[in-house]
Amino acid sequence: METLQPLNQELHISLEEKLDRIRLPKAQNQREIAVVLSAVEDTLQDQQYGSTPTAYIAALLALLGQSFQPSNGAASKGIALSVVYLLDLVMPYVPALLLRQKFSEILISIAPVLTNSDIEAPLIKSSIGCIESLLIAQNSAAWALPQTEITPRRALSRLLLLVSDPRPKVRKRAQDAITRVLQTPPPSPSLDHPAADMCAEAAMRKLCDITGANGNYNRNGKGRSHDEQLHFELIHALRSVKIIATASGGWPSKKIEPLCRVLLNISKSTNEHLIIAAFEIFEVIFTGMADDFSSTKLPRLMEAITELRPSRSDSQLLTPWIAVISRGYHISSQIYPEDTFCRLPEIFEIIAGFLASSSQNIRVSASECLISLLTNSIPYRVILEPSIYEVETFDKLARLATSLLSIRYQAGWIEVFKVISTIFQTFKWRSLIRMNEVISIVGELRKADSFDGKKEADSVLGKAIEAMGPKAVLDILPLNLANPRLGQTGRAWLLPVLRDHIVNTNLAHFSLEFVPLSEAMFQQVIDNDSYEKTMEIKIFDTLIQQIWALLPGYCNLPLDLTTAFDKSFAELLANFLYQKVDLRPDICKALQMLVVSNKEIFTTEAPEEEVLVQGRVTKEVAKQNLTHLSKFAENLLAVLFNVYSETLPQFRGYILQSIDAYLSLTPEQELLHIFSRVASLLRDALHEPKFTRADKQTKAEHRTDKMPSVAHTLMDLIITISIYLPRSAFPDLFSLAALLPQATDPQVQKKVYKILPRLAKCSAGVLALQDHSSKLQDILIKSASTAGAPCRRDRLDAIGVVIQHLPTSCLHFIPSILSEVVISTKEVNEKARAVAFDLLIIMARKMNQGGIIAQSKIPDMSANAPNVQASLEEFITMLSAGLVGSSAHMVSASITALARILYEFHIQLSLNVVEDLIQTIDLFLSSPNREIVRSVLGFAKVAVIVLPEGVLIPRLKTLVPSLMSWSCEHKAQLRAKVKHLIERMIRRFGFELVYNHCPDGDRKFINNIRKAKERRKRKKDAAGDTEHEYGTTTEKRQVNFESEYDQAIYHSDESDFVNDDSETDASDTGIGRRRMHGATKVYILEGSEEPLDLLDQKALAHISSQKPVRMKNSLKFRNQMKPTSDFDGKLLIGVQGGSSDDNSADAMAIDGRGQGVVEEGIGAYADAISGRDAVQRGRGGRLKFGNKREKDGEGDIEVVGKTNVKEKKGIEKSRSVQNAVRSKSSSGKGDLQMRRLRNGGVGGVKLQQTQRKGLGVIEKVRVGRIGKSMGRR
């Protein structure tokens, strides 16, 4: 007998939890439901039925029948909604057997809701939920009943009608209900739900009604509104099809072909939403068939889609059909890989026929489909161990690929070349012999000068080289470089293709083929060495470079490493390293590639089958290769060390990488021996006599041409070796670091500090850092006084590594080194500052972990100092000690450090600590030092951003007046910083609160901020309306910051750039407008002769942010460009030209030096009044004097020895002018004119030493004191 199990397997308490939410309603619409539930529960309690789901549903059904009585009228709608809502809530917990027995009764009770068109959406949604629970409870026998009776099929048909309901929520609820019903089929041997066919028929019927009886989607030209309505209905119909396909794991097998036909016809539509919806259905169908349960439908589906192949001339339908084929066979290759591969030639031939189409879209779609088929349909097993039938499949595909190079496909050769490249890429070494004809044809095409597809042909040959190896390709297309035969052209163009694609091949081929070829090229160069370097010799040199550029590819996972890389080949490479400097990069890269490629295979976690297909080298073979290379490591390292010491620093990188690769293979004993030798040489080099100052200057003059010191070279080798040393060698390594306090060379210091971060990258190095932590701490503390500025960043990195691995018993190192870290936050080097801030965070986290700080071990502390507990608050106390520093620089750095810690740990700090910190920093706003105040402003900004309002609002009464005291200080951008901080406070705390705490004299400043903000908002709204009207948008320039702290400190809004000195809107000017809107217009200044070449390096000089004004044709412009001269005929540079009879206002200017009719003295007097050095009255009536020197050149008359007659006349003239000026001006302005005369001269002659000889009384004093000096005289 079937047990009474609830539909929902949740615990009974889940129903109680849901009912509890209704009993205590929070929303207004649930109160009436709560009343009905209370009445039902009271009835059940009175009749002692209990609170079981069965009792609930019996009472609710009785109440539902009463609520739909016609006599009740509209008043019963609210009760009906509450009852149906409760039924929807309870029915999932009712036993399935009971629901099957009461199916007719329940359905008849709910039917009026579904059939009445006046019922509101909430009631229909709850009714759909009830029907969903009923349908899920039915068995196969119930689903077999006809639809004409009151059966589950009849109820489901009503749900299918609601799927297209115009109300979105009703439609969504019906869709979800059908999905759950189809996903919960009753137990049966069938793969599909019993109602899946019915749902598919209904959805197909709806789809065909919309698109037409034959499934063709046509507009019929009935207007735009009709098309939109048609699209709307079609989208919902496709949505229904997608839901059914998703829920039933695909589409019913018998209904696949009609659906595919309709979907492919819909795909011809120009509406992208319809196309996407159609392809989503195909995707759902294919995805649903990916599991083993539904995979049996896939062959029938693919056959149906293949049979629906459109005509070759149907360009609209071919593209979607090809895309569906590609996706379908991708799924098929995952389920039936071998069968799909065997069918690949058939489908390949069908799709390849479309490559001859005249439509490029069809050719591109066909090529992409073929590429997808080849990539996904060839399993690894077929490549590794093919059967006889699978070998025939490879042969068929190769013949089809060869046929694609016929003249028939000439229009689509670009797509054909992509397909052939994919064939080489997927066939791997199975391309040998099969694809030889393809290589020969492509090589002949590539040789023709008129062939346009050289790039695509090179790609095909490159893939062939990767798959078949260079030997097979060169046997078909020989280079013909050494001894070309008559009629055979050379193929030097093949060398770059070989260089880019050689991989995973035989290294012996390079020794047999290319080493003799390079020797022949060398011989050609030697034979012609006595002659002038001709073009042929340059060609031979280029060929030698290209030949040896192939070596890294041959060394990339070679198949014959253990046999090809022998002693003779290693000696050959060593000799070339010594003798041929130009070949060193390629040889070093090849040596490194031998190690790296085998290590990558040995350490990979990919499946063995995949590794074998990709590289034909197993992990065991890779291990053997590494062991073989380790035998040559010591000798190769010796050669590389020597070459490294002979190479300039800018060319050493690739050598050091090769050294690092072979150090990883060196046995431990040999590695120790190498380290001891290098360390002893380093000690000797560090004790060599230092350079004198003259030697250093000489060395600096030729730094790029001179070799670095031996100590620098040896330190590079020590850094590289350090990570591979065993633990027993670390004491000797750290003994080298002990020489750091005595080292005075900044480069040596930098390299010593780099050892510690490198050690932290390996597990043995981490253990060594922990074991020798005390020694490293002493070295870092002692070397603090000798550390130079260039090594600051590396020193901070080293300190950070030591602190990260610091034992809890050595926390005294943090306060010992803290002052250096704090002061480093003010370093000029940006990277050093960033490291210093990061180091502060590392220190704080280390202190936050707890421990004991032995203060007696801190330098300059008393031996009796007590121990303290490490904590974050203690670390802030240590930082606060810098606030009483003797220098403003230290105080500023301490405040900046505290701001960084506050930003990072504001959540973890206690409220008392934060308040004390703010109160302390607030005092420094009264400091007269601008550097300190800038740091305080940064701290205040961090506080405003991260701290809660309850902490900051009580401090506003002192903070705001202190900030306003710096609102008039323009130096160091203090005014802008204060303004930005006030804006932040206004945005967070409100304008009124900040305004009330502002002093009366500074409230105009606050009002200015508010008004500027309102103006910006108005302009932004106006600009937004304009952009919306014209369809344009303006994006604000985004500034990227390295950290959130930098963004908090340095980020500012566009309001920072608003002019705060007046009520004038900054956006009225060009600069303000650009800054306000964030987008800057850029203009190109072109000449009249030729357009601007944007590839020229000088093109940036022709890019302007201001709109150029074209005035070349105007009279004013021509007059301005005329040269100007004085009455002596001397050209005046920088003075606007013009004719002497110009009637413009410029002709009547008081500066008459350019006018021949004005006396010289008058012009000088005018300069004294309105010129650059004139006295001006500033704010408060104070006099302001200019002291800028003119940048005029030397005078035309050179003063040497005696003065000639012309000089005497000039001096006499200057005396007369001096007297005239004294008589016409006051003493102050006359003295100013004397300075004017001394700087500029008269009549184009500068009076320098000649003036002093002739006048004698002129003193070289500041402008403001001329009057006093004249008075003394």
Side-chain angles (χ1 to χ4, degrees):
M1 180 178 179
E2 186 176 2
T3 58
L4 297 178
Q5 296 292 336
L7 294 176
N8 198 323
Q9 298 299 325
E10 297 180 6
L11 298 177
H12 183 68
I13 193 173
S14 300
L15 177 60
E16 291 298 326
E17 289 178 350
K18 293 182 179 180
L19 295 176
D20 286 339
R21 299 192 192 104
I22 297 176
R23 295 186 185 106
L24 300 174
K26 295 182 180 180
Q28 181 68 26
N29 57 353
Q30 290 186 346
R31 293 183 179 178
E32 189 171 354
I33 300 175
V35 173
V36 174
L37 177 62
S38 177
V40 170
E41 289 179 341
D42 291 341
T43 302
L44 295 178
Q45 187 176 3
D46 294 341
Q47 299 180 1
Q48 298 181 355
Y49 284 129
S51 58
T52 61
T54 304
Y56 275 113
I57 194 171
L60 291 172
L61 287 174
L63 188 58
L64 180 63
Q66 299 176 4
S67 61
F68 281 114
Q69 294 296 329
S71 59
N72 294 337
S76 64
K77 289 185 178 181
I79 299 176
L81 174 61
S82 303
V83 172
V84 177
Y85 181 87
L86 292 173
L87 277 174
D88 184 21
L89 193 69
V90 173
M91 286 182 68
Y93 299 91
V94 177
L97 180 59
L98 179 62
L99 292 179
R100 286 198 293 270
Q101 295 174 352
K102 298 292 184 180
F103 176 80
S104 300
E105 179 182 351
I106 298 174
L107 185 60
I108 291 173
S109 301
I110 301 177
V113 178
L114 300 177
T115 56
N116 193 342
S117 60
D118 298 333
I119 300 298
E120 298 177 353
L123 184 55
I124 296 179
K125 287 171 57 181
S126 300
S127 302
I128 292 173
C130 296
I131 294 178
E132 174 192 336
S133 301
L134 281 174
L135 296 178
I136 292 175
Q138 304 307 306
N139 54 18
S140 300
W143 283 108
L145 297 175
Q147 187 175 347
T148 55
E149 302 176 4
I150 302 177
T151 59
R153 288 181 176 271
R154 189 169 183 178
L156 184 60
S157 64
R158 187 60 190 173
L159 288 183
L160 291 173
L161 294 176
L162 293 175
V163 167
S164 302
D165 193 273
R167 290 166 291 190
K169 292 184 179 181
V170 174
R171 186 170 61 247
K172 181 66 169 58
R173 187 69 179 87
Q175 293 170 355
D176 294 341
I178 293 176
T179 301
R180 294 191 184 96
V181 170
L182 294 179
Q183 287 178 346
T184 315
S188 67
S190 176
L191 298 177
D192 299 329
H193 192 282
D197 290 340
M198 172 187 170
C199 295
E201 289 178 359
M204 280 295 300
R205 191 182 307 111
K206 180 69 174 179
L207 201 59
C208 292
D209 290 343
I210 299 174
T211 58
N214 57 354
N216 291 324
Y217 171 67
N218 296 316
R219 292 179 54 182
N220 295 326
K222 293 186 179 180
R224 181 175 179 180
S225 60
H226 179 268
D227 290 342
E228 293 178 353
Q229 180 64 25
L230 185 64
H231 291 165
F232 179 80
E233 296 177 358
L234 195 54
I235 286 290
H236 291 315
L238 291 173
R239 174 67 178 169
S240 302
V241 173
K242 182 180 177 181
I243 289 172
I244 296 171
T246 303
S248 57
W251 195 253
S253 304
K254 300 178 181 179
K255 308 294 182 182
I256 286 179
E257 187 172 352
L259 175 65
C260 294
R261 183 183 296 107
V262 174
L263 293 178
L264 288 174
N265 284 314
I266 292 175
S267 301
K268 295 190 300 184
S269 170
T270 57
N271 189 304
E272 59 179 2
H273 299 290
L274 293 177
I275 298 174
I276 292 173
F279 277 95
E280 282 180 352
I281 295 174
F282 277 117
E283 181 70 21
V284 167
I285 294 174
F286 289 137
T287 305
M289 294 180 181
D291 57 355
D292 296 336
F293 185 75
S294 304
S295 59
T296 56
K297 305 176 185 178
L298 186 59
R300 174 58 186 155
L301 174 61
M302 296 310 303
E303 290 177 3
I305 295 176
T306 307
E307 292 172 358
L308 293 174
R309 179 174 51 178
S311 172
R312 292 180 181 272
S313 60
D314 193 346
S315 59
Q316 289 185 335
L317 193 54
L318 267 177
T319 301
W321 179 82
I322 292 173
V324 172
I325 288 288
S326 175
R327 179 58 180 162
Y329 276 95
H330 183 200
I331 298 297
S332 178
S333 64
Q334 297 176 2
I335 302 174
Y336 309 109
E338 286 78 10
D339 295 342
T340 304
F341 175 71
C342 293
R343 290 195 59 188
L344 187 58
E346 177 185 352
I347 191 65
F348 187 96
E349 185 176 6
I350 294 174
I351 302 299
F354 299 112
L355 291 175
S357 174
S358 59
S359 173
Q360 185 181 7
N361 291 335
I362 295 177
R363 294 199 305 268
V364 171
S365 299
S367 64
E368 291 177 351
C369 178
L370 292 176
I371 291 172
S372 175
L373 290 172
L374 292 168
T375 304
N376 300 316
S377 302
I378 302 180
Y380 290 150
R381 187 202 59 78
V382 173
I383 297 176
L384 294 175
E385 299 176 355
S387 63
I388 297 176
Y389 186 76
E390 290 165 348
V391 170
E392 294 179 358
T393 303
F394 277 117
D395 295 337
K396 291 179 182 178
L397 291 172
R399 287 193 294 269
L400 289 172
T402 306
S403 66
L404 293 178
L405 294 173
S406 62
I407 194 65
R408 174 188 174 190
Y409 299 97
Q410 184 177 6
W413 267 357
I414 294 179
E415 290 79 15
V416 168
F417 283 163
K418 293 179 180 179
V419 174
I420 295 177
S421 298
T422 307
I423 291 177
F424 281 114
Q425 193 173 359
T426 53
F427 277 22
K428 303 294 182 183
W429 60 89
R430 300 296 172 187
S431 305
L432 284 168
I433 302 176
R434 295 185 178 90
M435 302 292 291
N436 288 358
E437 187 177 356
V438 172
I439 296 175
S440 178
I441 296 173
V442 174
E444 292 298 324
L445 291 173
R446 173 63 173 80
K447 185 176 63 175
D449 295 334
S450 60
F451 184 64
D452 296 332
K454 289 183 170 60
K455 181 179 179 182
E456 290 76 12
D458 289 345
S459 177
V460 172
L461 295 177
K463 296 301 180 182
I465 292 169
E466 292 179 5
M468 303 169 59
K471 184 179 184 303
V473 176
L474 291 177
D475 290 342
I476 303 172
L477 304 174
L479 293 174
N480 296 329
L481 295 179
N483 297 311
R485 297 178 182 178
L486 185 62
Q488 292 182 349
T489 58
R491 294 186 176 90
W493 53 266
L494 197 54
L495 288 174
V497 180
L498 290 167
R499 177 199 62 202
D500 296 336
H501 295 91
I502 290 179
V503 64
N504 192 217
T505 186
N506 294 318
L507 180 58
H509 182 255
F510 182 84
S511 302
L512 298 175
E513 180 76 18
F514 289 104
V515 172
L517 181 60
S518 67
E519 291 176 353
M521 299 296 107
F522 275 128
Q523 190 62 40
Q524 292 287 343
V525 174
I526 293 172
D527 294 342
N528 296 276
D529 192 27
S530 59
Y531 301 99
E532 185 180 357
K533 196 168 186 179
T534 60
M535 181 61 68
E536 293 182 358
I537 297 178
K538 294 180 181 179
I539 291 174
F540 287 135
D541 288 336
T542 303
L543 289 176
I544 293 171
Q545 292 285 343
Q546 291 180 343
I547 288 170
W548 282 93
L550 306 179
L551 183 58
Y554 277 98
C555 294
N556 188 354
L557 202 63
L559 301 176
D560 58 347
L561 188 145
T562 55
T563 57
F565 194 85
D566 53 6
K567 183 178 180 181
S568 60
F569 188 74
E571 291 176 352
L572 176 67
L573 296 181
N575 292 332
F576 274 98
L577 282 173
Y578 281 124
Q579 299 171 6
K580 303 298 179 183
V581 178
D582 296 340
L583 302 181
R584 286 178 182 176
D586 294 322
I587 296 176
C588 289
K589 184 179 180 181
L591 292 173
Q592 179 190 0
M593 190 63 68
L594 286 172
V595 180
V596 173
S597 59
N598 283 279
K599 273 190 172 181
E600 185 177 351
I601 294 295
F602 182 67
T603 58
T604 185
E605 297 180 356
E608 184 177 356
E609 188 181 54
E610 180 181 352
V611 173
L612 196 58
V613 169
Q614 298 298 333
R616 288 187 284 178
V617 175
T618 61
K619 292 186 177 182
E620 291 76 11
V621 175
K623 184 178 180 181
Q624 294 174 7
N625 292 339
L626 293 174
T627 305
H628 178 74
L629 289 174
S630 64
K631 300 176 182 178
F632 299 90
E634 185 176 8
N635 295 329
L636 287 175
L637 285 174
V639 174
L640 292 172
F641 284 172
N642 294 332
V643 174
Y644 185 80
S645 61
E646 299 172 359
T647 308
L648 293 174
Q650 58 267 32
F651 306 112
R652 285 179 166 182
Y654 54 86
I655 304 176
L656 201 61
Q657 292 175 357
S658 300
I659 292 173
D660 182 76
Y662 282 91
L663 283 173
S664 63
L665 301 179
T666 306
E668 183 175 328
Q669 295 300 324
E670 295 180 7
L671 192 63
L672 290 174
H673 177 65
I674 294 172
F675 173 70
S676 61
R677 289 177 55 189
V678 176
S680 61
L681 292 175
L682 178 61
R683 291 188 180 92
D684 296 339
L686 291 176
H687 290 89
E688 288 181 358
K690 306 296 186 296
F691 287 106
T692 61
R693 182 179 298 273
D695 294 335
K696 290 182 178 179
Q697 292 177 354
T698 304
K699 183 178 179 181
E701 293 174 359
H702 305 281
R703 179 176 296 178
T704 58
D705 300 331
K706 293 293 184 180
M707 298 297 298
S709 66
V710 179
H712 295 178
T713 302
L714 295 175
M715 278 304 307
D716 290 337
L717 298 179
I718 289 292
I719 295 171
T720 308
I721 296 172
S722 61
I723 197 173
Y724 302 109
L725 290 175
R727 292 187 64 181
S728 59
F730 285 118
D732 296 335
L733 177 64
F734 292 136
S735 65
L736 296 176
L739 302 174
L740 191 58
Q742 291 81 28
T744 57
D745 189 350
Q747 292 298 322
V748 173
Q749 292 178 353
K750 290 180 66 175
K751 295 179 185 299
V752 172
Y753 287 128
K754 287 181 179 180
I755 294 177
L756 300 184
R758 181 166 173 81
L759 286 178
K761 296 179 181 179
C762 63
S763 57
V766 171
L767 296 175
L769 290 173
Q770 296 174 354
D771 295 340
H772 301 82
S773 180
S774 300
K775 183 177 181 179
L776 294 175
Q777 295 171 35
D778 296 338
I779 294 173
L780 290 172
I781 292 174
K782 292 178 181 178
S783 60
S785 58
T786 59
C791 66
R792 182 69 61 192
R793 176 192 172 191
D794 297 297
R795 175 177 169 81
L796 293 174
D797 282 331
I799 293 174
V801 170
V802 172
I803 291 178
Q804 285 178 346
H805 304 93
L806 195 67
T808 55
S809 60
C810 299
L811 292 179
H812 61 274
F813 176 68
I814 293 179
S816 302
I817 209 75
L818 182 59
S819 59
E820 180 182 358
V821 179
V822 171
I823 205 69
S824 297
T825 59
K826 306 287 285 186
E827 276 287 328
V828 178
N829 190 302
E830 181 182 358
K831 295 182 179 179
R833 291 198 307 270
V835 174
F837 282 119
D838 294 339
L839 185 52
L840 282 173
I841 302 302
I842 293 173
M843 288 180 166
R845 289 174 180 168
K846 195 69 178 181
M847 292 284 290
N848 198 26
Q849 293 176 3
I852 301 298
I853 302 176
Q855 296 191 100
S856 58
K857 297 181 180 180
I858 302 176
D860 301 330
M861 288 289 289
S862 173
N864 299 326
N867 297 337
V868 295
Q869 185 71 28
S871 63
L872 193 58
E873 287 76 11
E874 181 64 24
F875 184 69
I876 291 181
T877 304
M878 295 177 185
L879 289 176
S880 301
L883 298 178
V884 295
S886 58
S887 64
H889 194 65
M890 183 64 190
V891 175
S892 174
S894 301
I895 296 174
T896 304
L898 287 170
R900 182 68 181 93
I901 298 300
L902 178 64
Y903 181 84
E904 188 73 22
F905 300 98
H906 62 276
I907 299 177
Q908 305 178 30
L909 292 174
S910 62
L911 188 60
N912 295 332
V913 173
V914 173
E915 291 178 348
D916 294 342
L917 192 59
I918 295 176
Q919 184 177 1
T920 303
I921 300 299
D922 192 8
L923 300 175
F924 286 92
L925 276 174
S926 59
S927 173
N929 189 280
R930 296 189 186 93
E931 183 180 8
I932 295 177
V933 173
R934 287 189 65 178
S935 298
V936 175
L937 293 178
F939 182 92
K941 185 175 180 180
V942 171
V944 170
I945 291 174
V946 302
L947 294 182
E949 297 182 1
V951 178
L952 290 175
I953 290 178
R955 304 297 311 171
L956 292 181
K957 59 183 179 181
T958 58
L959 181 61
V960 174
S962 300
L963 289 174
M964 299 308 299
S965 63
W966 291 95
S967 61
C968 297
E969 181 61 53
H970 290 273
K971 292 184 178 180
Q973 296 182 349
L974 291 179
R975 179 182 176 87
K977 291 180 177 293
V978 170
K979 181 177 181 180
H980 177 61
L981 186 55
I982 294 296
E983 288 178 346
R984 287 269 187 177
M985 299 170 78
I986 290 175
R987 284 200 298 267
R988 186 170 186 191
F989 308 122
F991 175 80
E992 295 297 333
L993 187 60
V994 178
Y995 184 83
N996 293 334
H997 289 100
C998 180
D1000 296 338
D1002 296 317
R1003 290 188 173 180
K1004 183 180 179 181
F1005 183 79
I1006 305 293
N1007 284 323
N1008 186 302
I1009 294 175
R1010 177 180 58 81
K1011 293 178 180 179
K1013 182 178 179 180
E1014 293 174 354
R1015 284 195 300 271
R1016 289 195 303 273
K1017 185 177 180 181
R1018 290 195 300 268
K1019 287 185 174 293
K1020 184 177 179 181
D1021 295 340
D1025 296 339
T1026 305
E1027 291 171 358
H1028 180 71
E1029 179 180 355
Y1030 292 99
T1032 59
T1033 56
T1034 302
E1035 296 183 358
K1036 183 179 177 181
R1037 182 174 65 92
Q1038 297 294 332
V1039 181
N1040 296 325
F1041 296 92
E1042 294 184 357
S1043 64
E1044 294 181 359
Y1045 175 73
D1046 290 344
Q1047 184 176 5
I1049 290 294
Y1050 302 115
H1051 179 61
S1052 59
D1053 300 332
E1054 66 269 13
S1055 59
D1056 296 347
F1057 305 102
V1058 178
N1059 183 12
D1060 49 17
D1061 291 334
S1062 65
E1063 297 296 323
T1064 303
D1065 191 355
S1067 61
D1068 292 340
T1069 63
I1071 297 176
R1073 182 164 54 254
R1074 289 194 297 270
R1075 285 171 174 170
M1076 287 291 295
H1077 293 287
T1080 304
K1081 292 184 178 180
V1082 180
Y1083 301 92
I1084 298 178
L1085 308 179
E1086 290 189 359
S1088 59
E1089 298 180 357
E1090 58 184 8
L1092 177 64
D1093 183 7
L1094 293 176
L1095 298 180
D1096 190 0
Q1097 294 182 352
K1098 299 179 181 179
L1100 196 60
H1102 297 271
I1103 306 299
S1104 174
S1105 59
Q1106 296 182 356
K1107 187 175 182 179
V1109 180
R1110 191 176 297 274
M1111 301 185 300
K1112 291 188 177 181
N1113 296 326
S1114 62
L1115 179 62
K1116 182 179 180 181
F1117 179 78
R1118 291 197 299 269
N1119 291 335
Q1120 288 177 348
M1121 292 297 105
K1122 287 184 179 180
T1124 305
S1125 60
D1126 60 2
F1127 64 92
D1128 287 333
K1130 189 166 186 174
L1131 291 176
L1132 300 180
I1133 306 301
V1135 180
Q1136 292 182 352
S1139 61
S1140 59
D1141 57 350
D1142 191 357
N1143 296 326
S1144 63
D1146 294 336
M1148 300 301 296
I1150 61 175
D1151 188 358
R1153 285 181 297 171
Q1155 309 295 334
V1157 298
V1158 183
E1159 189 179 353
E1160 289 178 327
I1162 301 301
Y1165 174 68
D1167 278 344
I1169 295 176
S1170 61
R1172 183 176 60 177
D1173 297 329
V1175 182
Q1176 299 179 1
R1177 291 191 179 274
R1179 187 178 299 176
R1182 300 186 215 165
L1183 294 177
K1184 297 172 65 176
F1185 302 93
N1187 57 358
K1188 297 182 180 178
R1189 297 180 180 272
E1190 292 185 352
K1191 297 182 180 179
D1192 300 295
E1194 296 294 328
D1196 291 340
I1197 300 177
E1198 184 176 355
V1199 181
V1200 180
K1202 298 181 180 181
T1203 59
N1204 54 28
V1205 177
K1206 191 173 182 179
E1207 291 174 338
K1208 289 181 180 180
K1209 289 182 179 180
I1211 295 172
E1212 292 176 358
K1213 189 179 292 186
S1214 66
R1215 286 177 176 174
S1216 63
V1217 171
Q1218 177 184 353
N1219 295 331
V1221 170
R1222 286 181 179 178
S1223 62
K1224 293 181 181 181
S1225 62
S1226 61
S1227 60
K1229 293 185 178 179
D1231 296 336
L1232 286 174
Q1233 178 59 24
M1234 294 298 297
R1235 184 175 185 274
R1236 182 66 180 178
L1237 290 173
R1238 187 170 62 250
N1239 288 336
V1242 184
V1245 180
K1246 290 194 68 176
L1247 303 180
Q1248 298 176 351
Q1249 297 179 3
T1250 306
Q1251 290 178 349
R1252 298 192 181 192
K1253 291 179 181 179
L1255 299 179
V1257 297
I1258 300 178
E1259 294 183 0
K1260 192 174 182 180
V1261 295
R1262 291 182 61 86
V1263 176
R1265 297 182 180 178
I1266 291 180
K1268 295 183 180 180
S1269 63
M1270 294 297 293
R1272 287 195 298 268
R1273 288 195 297 271

